[in-house]
C-alpha cells in the first residue's frame, strides 16, 4: 500500500479516555510521521473540548503536534451556523461546549424558543433536555444540527452508548423534520473541505480509524485507503471481510512495516 499522507482518528486510535491517555504505539507513530515528513491531520469528532484544549492535552502526553494538525467539529460549526443565520441555540452537550459557543457570539439558552438546536456528546442527557429539544423543533421550527454523525461511541469504562448522530436522528424521527440535518464532523461537506485543504491532497491518503461505518466506509467512497485499528469501539470480527477495509492493525506501529511511503507529491 503506497501512502502520501494520513487522516487519523483520535478517540480509540491515538487516545483511550477523556484524559487523552495515549494508546500503546500512538506517540511513537506520530513521531515516525514527523521524522519522515509525512503529512497528517488528526480528524476528531470530539465535541467536548475546543481544538486548542485538545492540542494542549495531547502535548502533555508527549504527542509532537501543533494546533494545525487538529480538525474538530468546533473548527467548522461556528462559521456554518453564522452563515445560516443562527443566533440562539439550545445545546445538548457539555458546559465547555456551551462556553465555547458563547465566546463565539451565540446566545445559548435552556429554552425551546431558539433558532437551532445543536447536538453534541452529553453525558448528562436527560428527559428535560429531550423535551426542550423536541419542542424547539416541533413547535418553534428550530433547525437541527449535530457536531458529528457517529452511530455509536465508547465511554472510558469500555461501555458503549448511542453516538451524537444517533441522538440527532432520534430528534429528527420524533419530529418528522430536518431529516437532512447538517453535521460538522467527519464526512460532512465542510469538514472534508477543511481536511483536504490542510493535507493539500486526497490521492494517496489513508484514513486510520476504529470507526468502521462513518470513517472507513465513508472515506473509502472518496478514494482513500482505509486502516482499521482494533483499539477502539468496534471488534476486529466486525471489520473482517468488509471490502472497504484495506488493512487491520492492533497497534499503530505495525503500519510503517506494511506500507510504502511516497512523499514526492
Amino acid at each position: 500500500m503506497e501512502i502520501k499522507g494520513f487522516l487519523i482518528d483520535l478517540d480509540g486510535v491515538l487516545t483511550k479516555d477523556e484524559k487523552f491517555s495515549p494508546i500503546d504505539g500512538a506517540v511513537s507513530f506520530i513521531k515516525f510521521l514527523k521524522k519522515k515528513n509525512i503529512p497528517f491531520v488528526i480528524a476528531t469528532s470530539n465535541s467536548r473540548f475546543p481544538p486548542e484544549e485538545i492540542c494542549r492535552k495531547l502535548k502533555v502526553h508527549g504527542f509532537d503536534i501543533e494546533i494545525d494538525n487538529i480538525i474538530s467539529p468546533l473548527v467548522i460549526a461556528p462559521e456554518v451556523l453564522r452563515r445560516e443565520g443562527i443566533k440562539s441555540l439550545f445545546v445538548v452537550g457539555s458546559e465547555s461546549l456551551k462556553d465555547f459557543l458563547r465566546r463565539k457570539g451565540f446566545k445559548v439558552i435552556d429554552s425551546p424558543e431558539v433558532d437551532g438546536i445543536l447536538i453534541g456528546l452529553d453525558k448528562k442527557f436527560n428527559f428535560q433536555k429531550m423535551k426542550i429539544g423536541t419542542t424547539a423543533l416541533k413547535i418553534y421550527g428550530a433547525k437541527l444540527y449535530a457536531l458529528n454523525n457517529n452511530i455509536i461511541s465508547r465511554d472510558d469504562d469500555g461501555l458503549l452508548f448511542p453516538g451524537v448522530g444517533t441522538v440527532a436522528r432520534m430528534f429528527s424521527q420524533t419530529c418528522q423534520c430536518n431529516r437532512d440535518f447538517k453535521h460538522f464532523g467527519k464526512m460532512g461537506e465542510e469538514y472534508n473541505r477543511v481536511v483536504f485543504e490542510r493535507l493539500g491532497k486526497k490521492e494517496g491518503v489513508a484514513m486510520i480509524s476504529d470507526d468502521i461505518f462513518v470513517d472507513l466506509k465513508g472515506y473509502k467512497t472518496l478514494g482513500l485507503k482505509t486502516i482499521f485499528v482494533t483499539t477502539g469501539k468496534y471488534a476486529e470480527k466486525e471489520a473482517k471481510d468488509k471490502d472497504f477495509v484495506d488493512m487491520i492493525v492492533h497497534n499503530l506501529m505495525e503500519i510503517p512495516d506494511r506500507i510504502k511511503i511516497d512523499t514526492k507529491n
Side-chain angles (χ1 to χ4, degrees), residues 194-245:
V194 174
V195 161
F196 294 117
E197 282 179 358
R198 293 272 182 94
L199 280 171
K201 64 188 75 180
K202 183 187 294 184
E203 182 183 357
V205 172
M207 174 77 203
I208 307 174
S209 180
D210 69 325
D211 190 313
I212 301 170
F213 300 104
V214 173
D215 290 358
L216 300 186
K217 187 175 183 179
Y219 282 101
K220 186 67 172 180
T221 66
L222 300 183
L224 274 65
K225 301 294 186 182
T226 56
I227 302 173
F228 172 71
V229 291
T230 61
T231 50
K233 57 193 175 187
Y234 286 104
E236 181 177 358
K237 63 182 180 181
E238 296 179 86
K240 283 185 174 179
D241 302 321
K242 296 288 193 301
D243 60 4
F244 52 83
V245 176

Side-chain angles (χ1 to χ4, degrees), residues 39-254:
F40 71 92
V41 164
I42 297 172
T44 176
S45 291
N46 188 299
S47 61
R48 291 176 61 80
F49 304 104
E52 295 81 6
E53 189 171 352
I54 293 174
C55 184
R56 181 182 61 79
K57 289 175 180 289
L58 288 173
K59 283 187 172 184
V60 167
H61 287 290
F63 286 98
D64 183 10
I65 61 160
E66 303 300 332
I67 185 64
D68 286 345
N69 293 126
I70 298 172
I71 298 177
S72 89
L74 299 189
V75 173
I76 314 299
E79 176 185 341
V80 177
L81 291 171
R82 280 193 289 264
R83 194 165 66 219
E84 299 203 350
I86 303 299
K87 297 180 179 179
S88 59
L89 287 164
F90 172 66
V91 176
V92 175
S94 65
E95 290 304 314
S96 63
L97 170 60
K98 294 176 184 178
D99 289 341
F100 172 83
L101 291 165
R102 291 188 183 102
R103 292 196 300 272
K104 293 295 182 178
F106 296 97
K107 184 180 181 182
V108 178
I109 55 177
D110 292 328
S111 168
E113 298 93 343
V114 291
D115 300 324
I117 80 167
L118 180 63
I119 310 299
L121 195 157
D122 190 342
K123 293 190 175 183
K124 295 182 179 179
F125 186 54
N126 58 26
F127 188 56
Q128 180 67 15
K129 294 177 182 180
M130 197 182 301
K131 290 192 296 182
I132 294 173
T134 302
T135 304
L137 292 167
K138 190 71 175 178
I139 304 300
Y140 292 95
K143 292 183 179 180
L144 175 63
Y145 301 91
L147 284 174
N148 63 63
N149 201 29
N150 287 2
I151 297 170
I152 194 169
S153 295
R154 185 177 187 176
D155 206 0
D156 291 354
D157 59 7
L159 296 178
L160 304 175
F161 60 95
V164 169
T166 299
V167 174
R169 281 186 284 276
M170 176 200 72
F171 278 114
S172 175
Q173 177 65 28
T174 300
C175 300
Q176 295 295 296
C177 64
N178 296 162
R179 293 183 183 275
D180 57 346
F181 64 86
K182 287 186 178 178
H183 74 87
F184 307 122
K186 283 170 282 185
M187 283 305 296
E189 182 179 350
E190 293 290 334
Y191 194 101
N192 286 348
R193 176 183 62 79
V194 174
V195 161
F196 294 117
E197 282 179 358
R198 293 272 182 94
L199 280 171
K201 64 188 75 180
K202 183 187 294 184
E203 182 183 357
V205 172
M207 174 77 203
I208 307 174
S209 180
D210 69 325
D211 190 313
I212 301 170
F213 300 104
V214 173
D215 290 358
L216 300 186
K217 187 175 183 179
Y219 282 101
K220 186 67 172 180
T221 66
L222 300 183
L224 274 65
K225 301 294 186 182
T226 56
I227 302 173
F228 172 71
V229 291
T230 61
T231 50
K233 57 193 175 187
Y234 286 104
E236 181 177 358
K237 63 182 180 181
E238 296 179 86
K240 283 185 174 179
D241 302 321
K242 296 288 193 301
D243 60 4
F244 52 83
V245 176
D246 295 317
M247 184 188 297
I248 297 176
V249 298
H250 306 284
N251 185 300
L252 291 175
M253 286 307 293
E254 295 175 27

Side-chain angles (χ1 to χ4, degrees), residues 23-34:
I23 290 173
D24 185 40
V27 171
S28 297
F29 183 67
I30 296 299
K31 287 181 179 178
F32 164 78
L33 297 181
K34 298 281 281 194

